[in-house]
C-alpha cells in the first residue's frame, strides 16, 4: 500500500470517529434538552409549532375549561360537540402562540400604570364591568367590585378564588397585548379615493343588456368524453383552489345494521308493561324510579309546559296515582306516574341576611347570631341596614338583602340561577310577612317573605324509561355478516363483494384527523383513528362497532397538507371539467351562428334559443334573473362597448352571447369620506381573521392531535 493509500485509509477512520462522536454528542444533547429518549416520540407532545412543543396536558387544561363553560350553559357534550370544542380550543391555542411570538418580537408590553387602569374602580376592562354589573340595570356596580377586591385581600378569601382571579388578570393582560398588536396592523390599513370610486360605481352603475344562452345541460353527459388533457388543463388553471391546510383522508365503508328487531321491541315492551303494573302498586315512587329507570332523575314539582308533550296533556287533569304508558319516545319505552299535585304560589319575593359559619365562629354562634338578628327585625330594626352590615352575601347586601322572585323549584326570574332547596321550600311554606331562620350549605339565612303572587298547579311525575336495544341474537347475526364480508375481501374486490351482498358502499370524503363522526354515524372516532394509520387501499383488519351499526372500511385516498395532486381531486373536479368540454362545443355552435355580422336575434334563431332582455344590473350583484350568480358574464358585460355583440362567454350555467343596450352612470361621487369609511370598516372586520390566517400559513406545524383524541 502506497503512502497516499495509507493516508486515505487513516483519514477515513479518523473522520468516521469524529463524525460518530459528533452524532453521539448531538443525540445526548437532545436527550438532556428534552428530558426523554431521542428515539421515541414525546408522549406529552400534542404538536410542534415553529419548533416549540405544545404539551398535551397544558392544552387539555384549556380544553377542559372550555368544556366546563359549555356545560354551565346547560348543554350536553355529544361526540360532535366534543370535536367542535377541541377544534375551537386548538385554534385559540395556536392563535395565542403565533400572536405571542409576534408580540415578543415587537416588544409589546402592558405597564403597571396601564394595568392599574384596566383593573381599577373607575373605568375597568369591559370583561370586569360585565362580571360586576347590576342585575337590574346592567351597569357596572363599583361597590360590588370593591367588595370583591376587599374580600380577596382579606384572610378569609378562598385560595382557589384568588388563583382564578390571578389567572383572569393574566389573561386580560395577554388579551391587551394582542389588541395592541392588532391595532398596529389595522392602523396600516388605508382606503384611497380610487377604491372608493370603484366601490361606489360597482354598487350604483346600471346596465341593460340582452343575451342568448345555451345551457350545459343541453348536452347529455354520456356524449362527452373527458381526456387526461382536459383534466390537466382545468387543474393547472385552478391549482390554487386545491390547497389544503391539513392532511385529509377518504375512505369507503359498508354498514351492517344491528338495530333492534320487531322481536326485540316486543320484548322490551313486555318488560315495560310489567313495570307499569308494579309502578301502580308501589308505596315508594322515588325508590322505584331510582331502581328501575335507565335515566335517573329526582322527583320534582313541575308546572304546565315543562313536561314532555304527551305527559303535559294528561297529568294536569289526572288523579294522584295515575299511570300513563308504556309509550315510546326517543328510542325508549316509558312509564309515567302522577306521584303528587298541588296548587301553590306562582312566585315568591324574599330578602335575606346570610350568616357565614366560618365568619361567625362555628355553627352554634352562627345560629345564635341569626336568631338575634331575627329578634331585632321583629323589634322594628331596618332589615336593609342589618343586611348591609351583617350579610355574607355581598351581592344582595348592597340591595338591602333583596333577591329576585323565584318559583316553586327555586328558579329565579330573568335566568339568574336557582336557590338551594332549604331556602325556597321554607319560603313557599311560610306566610307573607313571616321572618324565618333557615340553614343551608352556605350558613344560616334570616329570610323575610315579602310577597307571594299568583296561583299555579304543579305536578310531581315519576318516569321510568327502558331503552329499546337490540338483543344479543340480533347483534350476533349482524356481526357475523360483517365478519364474513371482511373475510371475503382482497385488495381489489371491495365494491364487487359489496354488490354481491346487496350492500351499497358509502363514501367519507375529506375526513380530518380529529373528526368524530361520519355521514349518518355520530361517534366513529375509532374508524377515523384507523384511517390515519392505514395506507391507501388498506382494508380494516377488524369490524368496527359504531352505535347500532357494524362497519367495514377501505382507505381510498390520502390527501397530504399542501396542494393536492390531480389524482386526489379528479373525482371532485369532474363536473367542472365536463362543463369546460361542453363549453367548447357550445362556443363552436355560437361561432358559426355569429358569422357575417349577425344580430343578437339572428344568433338566437340559428342556435334555436331566445333573446332574454335584462335591466338594471349592477356589478356588485352579478346575478342574472332566473339564473344563478354569473360573475364572468356580468364582468364581461361591464367591460363591453354599447351595441356590440359579444364573443361567446362560458359562465356557470352555460355559454352566453350578449349585447349591451346602455349604461346608466350614477351622479359623480363628490365626497368619498362615507364610501371610504364603509370599505375601511369592512377591512377592519376581516383583518383579525386574515392576520391569523397569514400567521398560520407561514407557521410550520406538526399536529399530533389524532394520537391523543
Amino acid at each position: 500500500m502506497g503512502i497516499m493509500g495509507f493516508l486515505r485509509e487513516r483519514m477515513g477512520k479518523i473522520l468516521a470517529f469524529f463524525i460518530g462522536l459528533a452524532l453521539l454528542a448531538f443525540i445526548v444533547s437532545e436527550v438532556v434538552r428534552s428530558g426523554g429518549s431521542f428515539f421515541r416520540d414525546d408522549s406529552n407532545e400534542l404538536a410542534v409549532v415553529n419548533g416549540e412543543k405544545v404539551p398535551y396536558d397544558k392544552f387539555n387544561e384549556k380544553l377542559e375549561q372550555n368544556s366546563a363553560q359549555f356545560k354551565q350553559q346547560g348543554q350536553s357534550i355529544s361526540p360532535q360537540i366534543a370535536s367542535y370544542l377541541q377544534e375551537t380550543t386548538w385554534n385559540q391555542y395556536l392563535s395565542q402562540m403565533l400572536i405571542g411570538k409576534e408580540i415578543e418580537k415587537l416588544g409589546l408590553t402592558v405597564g403597571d400604570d396601564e394595568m392599574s387602569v384596566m383593573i381599577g374602580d373607575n373605568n375597568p376592562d369591559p370583561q370586569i364591568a360585565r362580571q360586576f354589573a347590576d342585575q337590574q340595570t346592567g351597569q357596572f356596580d363599583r361597590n360590588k367590585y370593591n367588595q370583591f377586591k376587599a374580600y380577596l385581600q382579606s384572610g378569609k378569601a378562598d385560595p382557589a378564588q384568588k388563583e382564578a382571579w390571578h389567572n383572569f388578570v393574566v389573561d386580560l393582560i395577554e388579551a391587551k397585548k394582542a389588541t395592541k398588536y392588532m391595532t398596529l396592523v389595522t392602523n396600516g390599513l388605508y382606503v384611497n379615493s380610487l377604491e372608493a370610486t370603484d366601490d361606489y360605481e360597482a354598487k350604483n352603475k346600471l346596465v341593460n343588456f340582452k343575451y342568448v344562452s345555451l345551457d350545459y345541460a343541453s348536452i347529455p353527459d354520456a356524449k362527452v368524453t373527458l381526456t387526461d388533457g382536459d383534466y390537466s388543463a382545468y387543474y393547472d388553471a385552478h391549482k390554487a383552489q386545491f390547497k389544503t391546510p391539513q392532511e385529509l383522508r377518504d375512505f369507503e365503508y359498508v354498514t351492517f345494521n344491528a338495530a333492534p328487531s320487531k322481536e326485540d321491541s316486543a320484548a322490551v315492551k313486555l318488560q315495560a308493561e310489567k313495570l307499569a303494573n308494579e309502578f301502580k302498586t308501589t308505596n315508594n315512587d322515588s325508590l322505584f324510579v331510582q331502581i328501575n329507570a335507565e335515566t335517573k332523575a329526582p322527583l320534582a314539582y313541575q308546572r304546565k309546559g315543562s313536561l314532555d308533550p304527551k305527559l303535559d296533556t294528561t297529568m294536569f287533569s289526572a288523579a294522584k296515582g295515575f299511570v300513563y304508558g308504556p309509550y315510546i319516545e326517543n328510542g325508549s319505552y316509558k312509564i309515567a306516574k302522577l306521584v303528587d299535585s298541588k296548587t301553590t304560589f306562582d312566585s315568591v319575593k324574599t330578602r335575606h341576611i346570610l350568616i357565614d359559619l366560618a365568619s361567625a365562629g362555628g355553627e352554634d354562634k352562627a345560629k345564635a347570631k341569626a336568631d338575634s338578628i331575627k329578634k331585632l327585625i321583629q323589634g322594628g330594626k331596618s332589615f336593609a341596614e342589618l343586611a348591609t352590615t351583617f350579610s355574607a352575601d355581598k351581592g344582595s347586601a348592597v340591595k338591602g338583602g333583596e333577591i329576585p322572585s323565584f318559583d316553586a323549584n327555586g328558579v329565579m326570574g330573568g335566568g339568574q340561577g336557582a336557590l338551594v332547596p332549604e331556602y325556597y321550600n321554607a319560603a313557599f311554606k311560610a306566610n307573607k310577612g313571616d321572618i324565618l331562620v333557615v340553614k343551608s350549605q352556605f350558613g344560616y339565612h334570616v329570610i323575610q317573605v315579602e310577597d307571594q303572587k299568583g296561583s299555579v298547579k304543579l305536578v310531581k311525575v315519576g318516569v321510568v324509561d327502558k331503552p329499546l336495544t337490540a338483543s344479543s341474537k340480533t347483534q350476533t347475526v349482524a356481526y357475523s355478516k360483517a365478519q364474513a364480508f371482511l373475510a371475503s375481501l382482497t385488495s381489489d374486490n371491495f365494491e364487487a363483494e359489496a354488490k354481491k351482498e346487496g350492500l351499497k358502499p358509502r363514501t367519507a370524503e375529506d375526513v380530518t384527523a380529529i373528526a368524530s363522526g361520519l355521514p349518518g354515524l355520530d361517534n366513529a372516532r375509532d374508524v377515523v383513528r384507523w384511517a390515519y394509520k392505514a395506507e391507501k387501499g388498506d382494508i380494516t383488519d377488524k369490524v368496527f362497532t359504531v352505535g347500532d351499526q357494524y362497519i367495514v372500511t377501505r382507505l381510498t385516498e390520502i390527501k397530504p397538507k399542501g396542494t393536492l395532486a390531480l389524482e386526489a381531486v379528479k373525482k371532485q373536479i369532474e363536473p367542472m371539467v365536463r362543463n369546460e368540454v361542453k363549453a367548447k362545443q357550445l362556443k363552436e355552435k355560437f361561432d358559426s351562428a355569429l358569422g357575417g355580422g349577425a344580430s343578437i336575434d339572428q344568433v338566437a334563431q340559428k342556435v334555436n334559443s331566445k333573446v332574454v332582455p335584462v335591466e338594471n344590473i349592477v356589478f356588485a350583484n352579478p346575478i342574472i334573473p332566473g339564473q344563478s350568480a354569473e360573475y364572468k358574464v356580468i364582468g364581461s358585460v361591464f367591460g363591453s362597448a354599447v351595441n356590440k355583440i359579444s364573443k361567446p362567454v362560458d359562465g356557470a350555467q352555460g355559454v352566453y352571447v350578449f349585447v349591451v343596450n346602455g349604461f346608466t352612470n350614477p351622479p359623480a361621487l363628490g365626497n368619498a369620506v362615507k364610501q371610504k369609511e364603509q370599505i375601511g370598516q369592512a377591512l377592519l372586520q376581516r383583518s383579525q381573521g386574515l392576520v391569523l390566517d397569514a400567521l398560520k400559513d407561514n407557521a410550520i406545524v406538526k399536529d399530533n392531535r389524532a394520537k391523543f383524541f
Side-chain angles (χ1 to χ4, degrees):
M1 181 186 292
I3 187 67
M4 293 303 293
F6 172 80
L7 288 174
R8 278 196 298 269
E9 181 187 9
R10 296 299 297 167
M11 286 303 295
K13 291 179 179 178
I14 292 168
L15 282 172
F17 171 79
F18 279 108
I19 290 170
L21 190 64
L23 283 172
L24 179 61
F26 173 72
I27 290 170
V28 170
S29 68
E30 282 297 308
V31 171
V32 171
R33 188 163 62 86
S34 64
S37 171
F38 180 82
F39 298 103
R40 57 181 171 82
D41 290 337
D42 190 341
S43 61
N44 195 40
E45 188 180 286
L46 182 82
V48 182
V49 179
N50 290 334
E52 182 179 348
K53 292 181 180 180
V54 179
Y56 166 74
D57 50 3
K58 284 191 176 180
F59 172 80
N60 198 50
E61 185 179 321
K62 184 68 176 173
L63 177 59
E64 287 179 353
Q65 288 174 5
N66 288 344
S67 300
Q69 289 175 3
F70 193 85
K71 288 177 182 176
Q72 285 172 4
Q73 300 170 5
Q75 304 286 335
S76 59
I77 298 183
S78 64
Q80 292 83 358
I81 294 296
S83 179
Y84 164 78
L85 286 170
Q86 191 230 108
E87 184 67 14
T88 302
T89 305
W90 167 247
N91 284 324
Q92 290 173 349
Y93 202 100
L94 180 59
S95 298
Q96 287 172 357
M97 283 188 73
L98 296 175
I99 290 178
K101 284 295 181 186
E102 298 301 307
I103 289 169
E104 190 179 318
K105 288 178 191 174
L106 295 168
L108 297 178
T109 61
V110 174
D112 292 342
D113 292 342
E114 193 174 2
M115 189 177 75
S116 296
V117 172
M118 286 168 58
I119 64 174
D121 302 336
N122 294 327
N123 188 27
D125 186 271
Q127 290 191 59
I128 295 175
R130 282 194 297 271
Q131 285 194 28
F132 294 92
D134 185 282
Q135 292 180 341
Q136 306 299 325
T137 65
Q139 299 299 310
F140 172 59
D141 189 333
R142 187 175 288 106
N143 290 330
K144 185 189 291 186
Y145 183 41
N146 284 335
Q147 288 169 6
F148 175 73
K149 289 199 293 185
Y151 163 73
L152 286 180
Q153 292 168 3
S154 71
K156 303 172 186 175
D158 181 357
Q161 278 188 301
K162 292 179 76 171
E163 184 181 359
W165 175 253
H166 170 76
N167 293 337
F168 172 73
V169 172
V170 169
D171 287 344
L172 277 186
I173 292 169
E174 293 305 312
K176 186 70 174 179
K177 290 179 186 177
T179 301
K180 287 185 175 186
Y181 173 75
M182 286 299 174
T183 302
L184 284 175
V185 174
T186 55
N187 281 347
L189 298 175
Y190 176 73
V191 180
N192 61 37
S193 298
L194 182 60
E195 289 174 295
T197 302
D198 285 348
D199 184 72
Y200 172 73
E201 289 189 356
K203 293 174 181 175
N204 294 282
K205 183 177 180 178
L206 304 175
V207 66
N208 297 340
F209 65 95
K210 298 175 185 175
Y211 74 88
V212 178
S213 69
L214 293 173
D215 290 348
Y216 298 132
S218 63
I219 301 176
D221 290 352
K223 292 191 175 182
V224 177
T225 302
L226 305 183
T227 66
D228 290 342
D230 294 328
Y231 280 104
S232 296
Y234 183 90
Y235 174 79
D236 291 339
H238 300 85
K239 193 172 280 189
Q241 297 177 10
F242 309 129
K243 188 176 180 181
T244 174
Q246 58 186 317
E247 183 178 327
L248 302 170
R249 299 203 170 196
D250 297 351
F251 53 89
E252 60 183 349
Y253 61 97
V254 293
T255 65
F256 295 83
N257 190 5
S261 64
K262 290 182 179 179
E263 291 78 11
D264 297 336
S265 178
V268 177
K269 185 179 180 183
L270 189 65
Q271 186 182 11
E273 287 171 346
K274 181 183 177 184
L275 284 171
N277 291 327
E278 294 174 0
F279 206 0
K280 290 175 184 176
T281 58
T282 183
N283 294 321
N284 192 331
D285 298 308
S286 180
L287 182 61
F288 189 87
V289 170
Q290 291 302 310
I291 291 173
N292 294 291
E294 184 74 19
T295 308
K296 304 181 190 305
L299 303 186
Y301 284 102
Q302 294 173 279
R303 63 180 61 209
K304 194 163 181 61
S306 59
L307 294 170
D308 292 340
K310 289 180 180 179
L311 302 182
D312 217 51
T313 56
T314 57
M315 291 302 181
F316 283 89
S317 57
K320 183 177 177 179
F322 171 71
V323 173
Y324 179 77
Y327 63 98
I328 195 162
E329 185 178 65
N330 297 329
S332 293
Y333 275 103
K334 295 184 177 181
I335 314 106
K337 181 178 182 179
L338 180 58
V339 175
D340 196 13
S341 64
K342 67 178 181 179
T343 301
T344 186
F345 305 110
D346 187 38
S347 67
V348 171
K349 182 76 174 67
T350 63
R351 53 184 175 178
H352 83 133
I353 299 168
L354 174 62
I355 306 302
D356 184 343
L357 300 184
S359 301
E363 184 168 337
D364 292 342
K365 290 182 180 179
K367 174 71 164 58
K369 190 173 183 179
D371 288 336
S372 64
I373 289 173
K374 175 182 176 181
K375 288 177 182 177
L376 288 173
I377 295 166
Q378 289 171 332
K381 289 289 184 181
S382 167
F383 192 103
E385 289 180 10
L386 291 170
T388 304
T389 306
F390 295 108
S391 184
D393 179 9
K394 300 303 180 185
S396 65
V398 295
K399 301 172 188 174
E402 299 284 349
I403 65 171
S405 299
F406 50 89
D407 63 19
N409 289 316
V411 179
M412 294 186 283
Q416 298 179 68
L419 300 168
V420 289
E422 296 89 348
Y423 191 109
Y424 66 77
N425 284 332
F428 264 84
K429 290 175 183 175
N431 296 315
K432 184 176 178 180
D434 283 357
I435 299 171
L436 319 167
V437 174
V438 176
K439 185 189 174 188
S440 79
Q441 67 197 66
F442 300 107
Y444 280 92
H445 304 260
V446 180
I447 304 170
Q448 184 174 41
V449 180
E450 296 182 283
D451 202 4
Q452 296 165 323
K453 291 182 178 180
S455 176
V456 63
K457 184 174 183 179
L458 303 175
V459 295
K460 187 184 286 186
V461 178
V463 178
V464 173
D465 61 329
K466 285 296 171 189
L468 182 53
T469 55
S471 65
S472 58
K473 178 184 175 183
T474 300
Q475 293 174 7
T476 300
V477 169
Y479 187 75
S480 298
K481 288 180 179 178
Q483 283 280 37
F485 175 75
L486 178 59
S488 70
L489 295 178
T490 62
S491 59
D492 56 0
N493 71 343
F494 193 92
E495 285 81 6
E497 286 298 313
K499 187 176 181 181
K500 187 189 297 184
E501 297 296 324
L503 301 167
K504 186 176 181 181
R506 302 178 72 175
T507 302
E509 295 183 334
D510 295 341
V511 178
T512 65
I514 61 159
S516 62
L518 302 173
L521 301 171
D522 287 343
N523 189 4
R525 189 74 195 112
D526 286 346
V527 182
V528 176
R529 284 196 192 97
W530 165 82
Y532 272 81
K533 293 176 183 175
E535 298 296 330
K536 184 177 177 179
D538 280 0
I539 296 166
T540 177
D541 59 355
K542 69 173 186 177
V543 174
F544 291 105
T545 304
V546 182
D548 58 6
Q549 306 290 313
Y550 294 116
I551 313 293
V552 177
T553 58
R554 185 175 81 94
L555 191 68
T556 55
E557 193 66 61
I558 297 175
K559 300 177 180 178
K561 179 181 177 180
T563 302
L564 299 174
L566 172 58
E567 284 304 313
V569 297
K570 201 167 187 179
K571 185 178 178 182
Q572 173 189 334
I573 66 175
E574 184 179 332
M576 286 73 81
V577 175
R578 186 180 292 111
N579 282 349
E580 282 204 348
V581 174
K582 289 181 179 181
K584 291 176 185 177
Q585 298 178 20
L586 296 175
K587 281 181 177 180
E588 290 173 1
K589 193 172 182 180
F590 267 127
D591 285 338
S592 63
L594 285 165
S599 68
I600 191 81
D601 295 292
Q602 290 171 330
V603 169
Q605 188 176 11
K606 288 180 181 179
V607 298
N608 196 27
S609 186
K610 61 181 180 180
V611 176
V612 181
V614 181
E615 295 183 345
N616 299 331
I617 299 297
V618 295
F619 184 80
N621 187 30
I623 296 176
I624 299 175
Q627 304 279 343
S628 62
E630 287 288 2
Y631 294 92
K632 191 173 179 180
V633 177
I634 299 302
S636 300
V637 167
F638 273 90
S640 297
V642 176
N643 295 326
K644 182 180 179 182
I645 195 164
S646 75
K647 292 181 179 179
V649 178
D650 52 321
Q653 298 294 316
V655 177
Y656 297 75
V657 168
F658 60 84
V659 61
V660 175
N661 297 333
F663 296 99
T664 303
N665 291 311
L669 182 61
N671 188 343
V673 173
K674 185 178 179 182
Q675 212 73 19
K676 285 182 178 180
E677 285 179 353
Q678 290 176 347
I679 300 171
Q681 194 61 37
L683 275 173
L684 194 62
Q685 290 173 354
R686 301 200 320 266
S687 60
Q688 184 166 338
L690 292 173
V691 168
L692 291 172
D693 288 344
L695 291 174
K696 289 174 184 176
D697 285 345
N698 290 326
I700 300 172
V701 180
K702 179 186 175 185
D703 190 346
N704 299 325
R705 284 180 294 156
K707 297 178 182 178
F708 292 86
F709 297 101

